[in-house]
Amino acid sequence: AKKRGRNRSFWFEPQMEDELRFRNELEAGIRKGIAAGEFVPYYEQQIDLESGKLVGFEMLARWQSPQYGLVSPEIFIPIAEEIDAIGILSECLIRQALQDAKQWDQSLTLSVNISPIQLRDPWFAQKLIQLLVEAGFPPARLEIEITESCLHENIGAVRSIVSSLKNQGVKISLDDFGTGYSSLSQLRSLPFDRLKIDRSFVTELSGEANGKELVEAIVSLGKGLSLPITAEGVESNDVLQHLQTMGELKGQGYLYGKPEDAETTRRRLAELNML
Ligand code: C2E
Ligand code: CA
Ligand code: CA
Ligand code: CA
């Protein structure tokens, strides 16, 4: 572009200047939003695919911004990570989620997503256990979901966090399985309790390509490692039927419902007599 910016910003495209302004605005909004309690947990049902029974919920963060409306975690989680606010944000979400989940039927688990950045905090395990104690929430009902990219962090530090949490009874799931670059030996390097097959593979079950073989291979890998499996992104009956032929799986996805806020979740549970 020939049009030059004002003064010192001569090397800036005007559009870049707008983007930077927006970015600064978002960062400030996130910081303020954390303090103002604008971040809230939503809950997605997790189902035992064989019986169709509800077994738990995954907490998925939402930003109820007065300025932007309901904002997706795909937008604000990466920014919160970059501005070093992910720890405090996650803490305030988990604190709310534990209060909600405490009211639910004792058979229901709560899964929460943990960013690789959080595992760099040597106090992470202690902080999480503190939250459980504070809420009076049974550790065995909590599952943390970590992604394969966590395996590229300082593996010794991650292993010590995982073992502290497991000693307390907290469960550990490997999230988005198949999308990362972990080798099978890395998969064995942490004592996972569950594998979650990423939605991108599950969706392929309804396609013509080799989708079915791929998911079957992942499921038998899980079986070989004695790891229970959850399939993400179950959107259709067609996909459900395929999954049901593969053994005892859990699943979640739009077939069962989109993530809902705490109040809607309560009403759903009241109807099921699970409050
Ligand atoms: P994820 O952990 O893979 O979560 C599943 C995502 O897929 C969720 O998106 C969920 O709403 C969406 N989903 C579930 N079922 C279906 C389906 O049947 N079809 C389709 N098309 N989508 C489905 P969401 O809520 O936008 O979250 C996106 C990602 O943000 C999550 O992916 C997770 O990695 C991250 N995230 C969410 N909450 C938190 C959090 O509190 N902390 C951290 N660190 N990350 C979070
Ligand atoms: Ca997840
Ligand atoms: Ca996923
Ligand atoms: Ca994820």
Side-chain angles (χ1 to χ4, degrees):
K2 277 206 189 129
K3 229 166 113 193
R4 297 262 156 105
R6 297 170 304 277
N7 305 337
R8 291 153 297 151
S9 57
F10 63 91
W11 50 272
F12 256 2
E13 303 287 336
Q15 174 202 340
M16 247 172 99
E17 223 175 300
D18 285 348
E19 280 169 14
L20 179 60
R21 195 172 301 121
F22 181 53
R23 167 72 190 205
N24 285 333
E25 200 179 287
L26 269 180
E27 290 183 1
I30 289 171
R31 288 208 173 86
K32 266 193 281 169
I34 294 173
E38 291 165 12
F39 289 88
V40 294
Y42 270 51
Y43 301 101
E44 178 169 308
Q45 301 174 64
Q46 297 178 316
I47 305 290
D48 175 88
L49 294 183
E50 207 163 19
S51 64
K53 268 175 57 182
L54 178 66
V55 291
F57 290 92
E58 177 175 0
M59 188 268 278
L60 293 156
R62 297 289 181 267
W63 180 17
Q64 281 174 334
S65 159
Q67 195 174 358
Y68 311 111
L70 196 64
V71 182
S72 154
E74 315 262 25
I75 308 279
F76 64 77
I77 295 285
I79 301 177
E81 288 174 341
E82 279 162 30
I83 65 176
D84 213 24
I86 187 68
I88 190 81
L89 173 58
S90 180
E91 190 176 318
C92 97
L93 285 161
I94 292 173
R95 188 174 279 124
Q96 296 177 67
L98 292 174
Q99 286 308 323
D100 293 334
K102 228 177 114 167
Q103 319 291 320
W104 305 341
D105 189 278
Q106 293 293 307
S107 68
L108 298 171
T109 56
L110 170 70
S111 301
V112 300
N113 294 284
I114 300 299
S115 153
I117 310 282
Q118 292 175 269
L119 299 179
R120 292 182 196 163
D121 176 0
W123 293 97
F124 174 77
Q126 281 82 348
K127 286 176 181 172
L128 189 61
I129 291 161
Q130 179 60 38
L131 286 176
L132 288 164
V133 170
E134 189 188 288
F137 191 86
R141 286 180 58 201
L142 182 70
E143 299 183 3
I144 66 166
E145 301 189 358
I146 65 181
T147 57
E148 284 174 77
S149 50
C150 293
L151 304 176
H152 307 303
E153 299 288 313
N154 178 348
I155 192 69
V158 174
R159 197 178 286 128
S160 106
I161 287 174
V162 164
S163 84
S164 307
L165 291 174
K166 284 192 66 117
N167 281 338
Q168 300 292 319
V170 175
K171 307 285 197 307
I172 319 288
S173 302
L174 183 56
D175 202 6
D176 294 344
F177 182 66
T179 60
Y181 299 94
S182 63
S183 65
L184 296 183
S185 60
Q186 281 176 314
L187 184 56
R188 283 196 312 183
S189 71
L190 288 177
F192 292 109
D193 297 293
R194 170 171 298 278
L195 285 185
K196 296 192 72 176
I197 310 181
D198 190 62
R199 163 160 55 97
S200 56
F201 300 105
V202 176
T203 308
E204 289 296 312
L205 278 176
S206 55
E208 278 115 71
N210 308 335
K212 191 162 196 278
E213 283 73 17
L214 195 50
V215 174
E216 270 169 359
I218 297 175
V219 170
S220 59
L221 176 65
K223 280 185 189 150
L225 295 164
S226 308
L227 290 176
I229 291 180
T230 299
E232 288 184 342
V234 182
E235 289 185 352
S236 67
N237 269 307
D238 186 33
V239 164
L240 172 62
Q241 276 160 20
H242 280 304
L243 290 169
Q244 281 172 331
T245 65
M246 295 182 194
E248 292 166 32
L249 301 181
K250 289 187 189 176
Q252 53 185 99
Y254 293 173
L255 179 63
Y256 299 102
K258 296 202 170 174
E260 295 168 327
D261 67 16
E263 186 45 39
T264 311
T265 301
R266 274 184 66 85
R267 266 185 266 124
R268 176 182 291 286
L269 290 174
E271 273 169 29
L272 294 169
N273 256 317
M274 294 185 93
L275 261 193

